[in-house]
Amino acid sequence: MPIDDFELKASELRECCDPGSLRFETTADLPELEGNVGQDRAMAAIGFGLDMEMKGYNIFAAGPTGTGRNFAVLSQAKAAAAAKSTPDDWCYVYSFHDPTQPIALRLPPGMGPEFATDIEELISACRHEMPRAFESETYEDQKEKATGDVQSERNRVLQQLDEEARSEGFMIQATPMGLVTVPLSDGKPMSREQFEQLPEDKRSEINGKMEQLRSRVQEALSQARQLEKETRRRLEELDREVAMAAIGDRFGELKEKYRDYPLVTKHLDSMSEDIVAHRDEFRSAETAESDGRPAAATPSRYRVNVLVTREDDGGAPVVEANSPTYYNLLGRLEYRPVSGGAVTDHTLIKPGALHRANGGYLVLQALDVLLAPFAWEALKRTLRSQEATIENIGEQWTPVPAATLRPAPIPLDVKVIMVGSPLLYFLLYHYDEDFGKLFKVKAEFDTEMEADDNACQSYSVFMATYCRRHDLKPVSKEAAAQVIDYGKRLAEDRAKLSTRFSQVADLLAEASFWATRDGASAISAEHIEKALEQKDYRAERLEERVYELIQRGDLVVDLTGSITGQVNGLALLDLGDHVFGRPSRITAQVAPGRAGVLNIEREARLSGQIHQKAVMILSGYLTGTYGVEAPLSLSASIAFEQSYGPVEGDSASCAELYAILSGLAGAPIRQGLAVTGSVDQYGHVQVIGGANHKIEGFYETCKLRGLTGDQGVLIPRQNIKNLMLKPEVVKAVEEGRFHIWAVSNVDEGIEVLTGIPAGCPKEPETIHGRVRARLKEFSKALRGARDERPPTIIEVPPGAGGPRPPRPPTPPREPPTPPRPPMPQD
């Protein structure tokens, strides 16, 4: 097949959007975007997860950054929340039965703050009503009536005791030590000196009477104490009745108002009993205010801690937790410093994102949750139990449990939506046994969408919405067509549009900046080009440095002539914010041997696993093509020259195979050409990634040295649909200063590179024929080297290799020859 049949035309290198196909002049004419663009599958999954009420159907939105995950999740969650009823308020109040366990009260939406205000007003009213009740004449009359008869009986008992004592010649005298009996003399108390001067028998008589009278005094005192106790009981009962009467109406009104909430009415009953029990605090309150002293604050035990409140008819909440730490998710129990220590109460309980999202939706970033200590385990525990328990981290890890509050858990009804990468989803699903049970809905966001007319129109509506929301210049239809072309280039597919809308949004923002600087009313195609040029300029410092090294000859790249066993491969360098291609010399040396294909990168531990696999595939191709009749007698080494870092991927396997075939066939390769593409064991050239950047990288290299019209790139034919080359490269191809060939197999590629037909192994003047002949020469050389090799003598020591065989019998010796007689001497 002629080489020209493989060459691509300029029209095949780029497919542009026709501005005339866009039904607007500027994006200001377009409506607001509803929903998301190009993520129908993910949006359907999110909608299902939001509507599914069963336990465990939380959502994980998986997709690369910039695909609109957060926007899609928030927009659909807000739409679903608007259709739901507003969840109830939650409050914490003091537990009068167990102060360490605050009580959680559930009230209708918006009633939580109202209840707290009602309690504040109730306490204020008690401070005014209580003192007035106890200062009234009615109270004094009731007090006198309740204690009068008891007091009279007490006085009667004491009076009777005094009369009995006087009849015996004694009197009852009150002292700090109690009641004592004192003997009388002429109606007057007898002094100790007088008592000592009495005769002994008289003193004994007086002492005896005193002992009898002392027992009677004890009985009278016991009766008096019982009467005093009864007086206190009656006063206590009276005070409670007066206090309850003073506040009863107020509490009755509140109990009537909250009669549909049993826990609230029960709490009001407990509060009223506590106020009555601590009535002295309230009896002195108005006196303090009348004296000009500031009114005391409401005691914390009576205050209501409104944990979460919402406006009625506001729909369900949608909470986006940007800092999902343990305390921000589950709430915390704060402490107040007091006298060198710290105290807490139910008013210091603070809510977390789960409490604020209760009854609605909680949106979390998966990576943030996993990085926050204890947050992920706490979230799983909460979703499993379906209740939110507020406890500080220290309570779980302290060796000695401290006395603190244990707030009652709050029932949880929340849909959690986690946003993360597909890798995080995969790792959690396979290594966390609870993840699959708690997050049963996966909403997967794609990076590309079909580039049909409807999609292009939706792309334009996205531009209109983004520019409108961020106060950017509207986009003209010519500029919109360029943005659509940019989306195709990002997707590396003419039939697709990239859904990485963050990059499209950045382009719009930068183009609007240049439009504003030019004083334009709308973004034009020139502003889009300017934004792209400036973006590349800011990020291509390293790329320019590489091209400078090539131009200076520090990085050797041959662009003219033909060399045997050497071909220009194309490497892709990804710097994160900038990607570019650069040529790399690939060389091969061949010789007789049995080593096969030796990957020098692997020997230097610079070869990745995919690259090593690609080299093994080359061995499979050579064996299948040339080793059918006889084993290969080949030792070939391949290397990336001036490569000082790891080599990964299989896109250079075609170039490596061409270098080996060139070396075996003795066919020089045109150095003005570069090659990219992977190959299988049957010689089919397979699709690769980054075709645009690789072609443009080699074009820039050739432009530095000067375009000769003989330079170009070989790509796989399947990559034609991925070509969205820069207009400059397309123009150079159109003018014949640069060329691009698309090949389907190794035979087509080697013909373009060498100008020699690939043929078949039995055709001597073809590439395969030459390779077959060369391999035969290698085989003969190996056989000749083996025949010329001297035999190797191996001495085996005795006993080696098992027991020695028996020796053959020794033949009989012949008798020795008798010596000759001596010769006579003269």
Side-chain angles (χ1 to χ4, degrees):
M1 184 181 294
I3 295 177
D4 293 343
D5 293 343
F6 307 135
E7 186 172 356
L8 300 181
K9 301 176 182 179
S11 59
E12 299 178 272
L13 306 181
R14 182 180 179 90
E15 185 177 289
C16 299
C17 175
D18 181 13
S21 64
L22 302 178
R23 301 182 294 274
F24 59 90
E25 292 300 321
T26 70
T27 54
D29 303 331
L30 296 176
E32 193 79 5
L33 178 64
E34 295 181 0
N36 205 290
V37 178
Q39 303 290 356
D40 295 341
R41 188 189 307 274
M43 298 300 282
I46 294 174
F48 167 76
L50 294 177
D51 294 338
M52 187 65 173
E53 298 294 339
M54 291 188 65
K55 179 182 177 181
Y57 281 84
N58 298 294
I59 304 169
F60 192 101
T65 302
T67 53
R69 301 171 304 178
N70 292 310
F71 174 79
V73 164
L74 288 173
S75 61
Q76 280 210 254
K78 290 178 181 178
K84 295 183 66 174
S85 59
T86 305
D88 294 335
D89 291 356
W90 284 96
C91 306
Y92 272 114
V93 294
Y94 182 79
S95 175
F96 295 98
H97 301 287
D98 187 355
T100 63
Q101 295 186 353
I103 301 171
L105 298 182
R106 184 173 190 168
L107 292 170
M111 191 175 283
E114 183 180 349
F115 177 63
T117 302
D118 289 342
I119 294 297
E120 291 289 340
E121 293 176 353
L122 173 65
I123 298 301
S124 178
C126 290
R127 290 182 182 277
H128 288 83
E129 297 295 335
M130 191 83 72
R132 295 177 183 177
F134 283 98
E135 293 173 0
S136 65
E137 294 181 358
T138 303
Y139 171 71
E140 294 297 334
D141 294 341
Q142 290 178 342
K143 182 178 179 182
E144 181 65 25
K145 181 179 180 180
T147 61
D149 55 343
V150 178
Q151 193 66 27
S152 299
E153 179 64 18
R154 179 178 180 277
N155 293 337
R156 187 191 65 80
V157 171
L158 294 178
Q159 180 65 31
Q160 182 180 358
L161 177 63
D162 185 67
E163 291 176 357
E164 290 182 6
R166 287 186 180 276
S167 65
E168 297 290 337
F170 293 90
M171 69 170 292
I172 303 300
Q173 187 176 5
T175 67
M177 302 299 294
L179 296 179
V180 297
T181 55
V182 179
L184 297 176
S185 176
D186 299 331
K188 295 181 179 180
M190 184 182 297
S191 65
R192 181 171 292 277
E193 290 79 8
Q194 292 175 335
F195 181 76
E196 294 294 335
Q197 293 175 1
L198 293 175
E200 180 65 25
D201 56 345
K202 186 67 174 176
R203 289 200 304 268
S204 298
E205 181 183 358
I206 292 175
N207 286 332
K209 292 181 177 181
M210 287 179 63
E211 287 297 328
Q212 295 178 359
L213 190 59
R214 186 176 293 116
S215 62
R216 181 70 184 89
V217 168
Q218 292 299 325
E219 293 177 2
L221 287 177
S222 177
Q223 293 180 11
R225 282 194 292 269
Q226 291 296 327
L227 292 172
E228 289 178 356
K229 186 176 180 180
E230 177 65 18
T231 300
R232 289 194 298 271
R233 186 191 67 79
R234 291 187 179 186
L235 286 176
E236 174 71 17
E237 184 177 346
L238 175 62
D239 288 351
R240 290 181 63 87
E241 291 177 357
V242 172
M244 185 59 73
I247 65 175
D249 292 341
R250 299 284 185 173
F251 274 92
E253 293 174 1
L254 281 187
K255 290 174 67 175
E256 177 63 22
K257 180 178 180 179
Y258 296 99
R259 65 179 182 274
D260 295 331
Y261 313 106
L263 286 179
V264 176
T265 57
K266 183 178 179 181
H267 175 70
L268 290 174
D269 289 338
S270 299
M271 180 185 292
S272 63
E273 293 176 2
D274 188 79
I275 291 176
V276 170
H278 296 83
R279 56 190 173 275
D280 291 342
E281 298 178 13
F282 292 84
R283 292 174 65 174
S284 59
E286 190 173 41
T287 304
E289 294 182 16
S290 62
D291 293 343
R293 289 175 289 172
T298 301
S300 61
R301 65 181 181 276
Y302 301 137
R303 291 163 58 189
V304 177
N305 179 9
V306 182
L307 193 72
V308 178
T309 182
R310 301 175 180 89
E311 295 182 1
D312 197 6
D313 298 331
V318 178
V319 177
E320 184 179 11
N322 295 317
S323 178
T325 61
Y326 176 90
Y327 289 120
N328 289 346
L329 275 180
L330 274 86
R332 62 190 181 277
L333 186 61
E334 295 183 345
Y335 287 81
R336 183 189 304 114
V338 174
S339 302
V343 297
T344 187
D345 56 54
H346 71 281
T347 63
L348 296 178
I349 301 174
K350 304 300 179 183
L354 284 166
H355 299 91
R356 296 195 301 272
N358 197 7
Y361 307 98
L362 175 61
V363 181
L364 301 171
Q365 298 299 318
L367 184 60
D368 294 341
V369 176
L370 295 173
L371 291 178
F374 311 109
W376 174 239
E377 291 299 326
L379 177 63
K380 291 194 299 179
R381 185 168 59 250
T382 301
L383 293 178
R384 285 196 303 265
S385 63
Q386 290 187 305
E387 60 181 22
T389 302
I390 299 177
E391 58 181 353
N392 288 349
I393 296 177
E395 300 301 321
Q396 305 173 14
W397 302 98
T398 180
V400 180
T404 185
L405 296 185
R406 300 287 189 271
I410 293 178
L412 197 65
D413 178 20
V414 63
K415 182 77 67 175
V416 177
I417 309 171
M418 290 184 66
V419 181
S421 66
L423 176 61
L424 278 181
Y425 179 87
F426 172 82
L427 293 175
L428 288 171
Y429 194 89
H430 286 276
Y431 294 102
D432 192 323
E433 61 182 10
D434 296 324
F435 179 77
K437 301 176 184 178
L438 298 176
F439 290 86
K440 297 182 179 181
V441 180
K442 177 185 179 184
E444 191 166 10
F445 285 75
D446 202 350
T447 57
E448 57 188 28
M449 57 185 277
E450 295 295 330
D452 53 23
D453 292 341
N454 292 332
C456 293
Q457 189 69 17
S458 299
Y459 229 64
S460 303
V461 174
F462 166 78
M463 299 180 215
T465 303
Y466 184 83
C467 292
R468 196 173 292 125
R469 291 181 180 178
H470 294 82
D471 198 22
L472 304 179
K473 301 285 186 181
V475 184
S476 66
K477 63 180 181 180
E478 292 79 13
Q482 281 207 346
V483 174
I484 292 173
D485 292 344
Y486 177 69
K488 293 180 179 179
R489 181 177 170 86
L490 288 178
E492 295 190 32
D493 196 323
R494 298 177 189 172
K496 302 287 185 179
L497 284 171
S498 173
T499 55
R500 291 181 179 266
F501 291 104
S502 62
Q503 299 185 39
V504 177
D506 292 343
L507 177 61
L508 293 174
E510 294 171 18
S512 179
F513 169 82
W514 295 113
T516 303
R517 175 167 289 189
D518 291 345
S521 59
I523 299 174
S524 65
E526 291 75 17
H527 297 134
I528 297 294
E529 293 176 1
K530 178 75 170 178
L532 291 173
E533 291 174 1
Q534 290 297 313
K535 181 178 181 180
D536 288 341
Y537 176 74
R538 293 192 300 269
E540 63 186 8
R541 185 194 64 81
L542 183 58
E543 180 181 1
E544 291 181 352
R545 177 60 176 160
V546 170
Y547 291 148
E548 179 184 350
L549 293 175
I550 292 175
Q551 188 176 19
R552 293 170 53 182
D554 296 337
L555 287 178
V556 179
V557 178
D558 294 314
L559 299 178
T560 57
S562 299
I563 300 177
T564 300
Q566 175 176 300
V567 65
N568 289 320
L570 294 173
L572 196 66
L573 280 74
D574 190 345
L575 306 179
D577 62 337
H578 186 64
V579 180
F580 67 95
R582 54 151 289 192
S584 179
R585 284 187 304 130
I586 299 175
T587 59
Q589 290 284 4
V590 295
R594 298 292 187 184
V597 180
L598 176 66
N599 181 9
I600 293 179
E601 310 301 323
R602 178 180 181 276
E603 298 301 318
R605 297 185 179 180
L606 293 176
S607 177
Q609 295 179 349
I610 297 177
H611 179 249
Q612 180 58 24
K613 174 186 175 182
V615 174
M616 294 178 181
I617 289 175
L618 301 186
S619 299
Y621 172 82
L622 295 173
T623 300
T625 305
Y626 307 108
V628 176
E629 298 177 356
L632 293 180
S633 302
L634 171 67
S635 291
S637 62
I638 54 175
F640 283 73
E641 304 295 346
Q642 292 186 294
S643 173
Y644 308 106
V647 177
E648 182 59 301
D650 61 351
S651 63
S653 57
C654 269
E656 292 168 334
L657 181 56
Y658 292 146
I660 293 174
L661 294 179
S662 171
L664 289 172
I669 291 177
R670 296 165 56 188
Q671 297 300 295
L673 305 183
V675 177
T676 184
S678 68
V679 66
D680 63 14
Q681 295 188 93
Y682 296 98
H684 302 132
V685 177
Q686 301 170 139
V687 66
I688 49 89
N692 294 306
H693 296 290
K694 292 177 179 179
I695 294 172
E696 291 164 359
F698 190 69
Y699 171 81
E700 292 293 334
T701 302
C702 295
K703 189 172 70 171
L704 288 175
R705 300 278 185 88
L707 294 172
T708 63
D710 296 328
Q711 298 149 335
V713 177
L714 273 72
I715 64 170
R717 181 163 293 277
Q718 295 94 323
N719 278 115
I720 295 177
K721 63 181 181 297
N722 306 116
L723 296 181
M724 282 294 293
L725 296 173
K726 293 181 178 179
E728 179 184 355
V729 180
V730 176
K731 184 178 180 181
V733 171
E734 187 176 6
E735 295 174 352
R737 296 182 292 120
F738 195 73
H739 306 273
I740 298 175
W741 292 271
V743 297
S744 301
N745 52 61
V746 172
D747 291 354
E748 296 175 356
I750 198 67
E751 289 184 15
V752 175
L753 291 171
T754 62
I756 301 174
C760 67
K762 295 183 179 180
E763 297 176 352
E765 297 304 322
T766 62
I767 293 292
H768 291 306
R770 291 187 181 189
V771 172
R772 182 190 183 199
R774 188 72 178 277
L775 290 175
K776 285 185 177 180
E777 294 175 5
F778 286 175
S779 180
K780 290 179 181 179
L782 281 178
R783 286 198 300 270
R786 186 168 57 251
D787 294 341
E788 295 175 2
R789 184 182 303 167
T792 302
I793 299 176
I794 301 177
E795 295 185 359
V796 179
R804 297 179 62 183
R807 292 184 178 181
T810 304
R813 295 183 179 180
E814 296 181 358
T817 303
R820 291 181 181 183
M823 292 182 63
Q825 295 182 356
D826 293 338

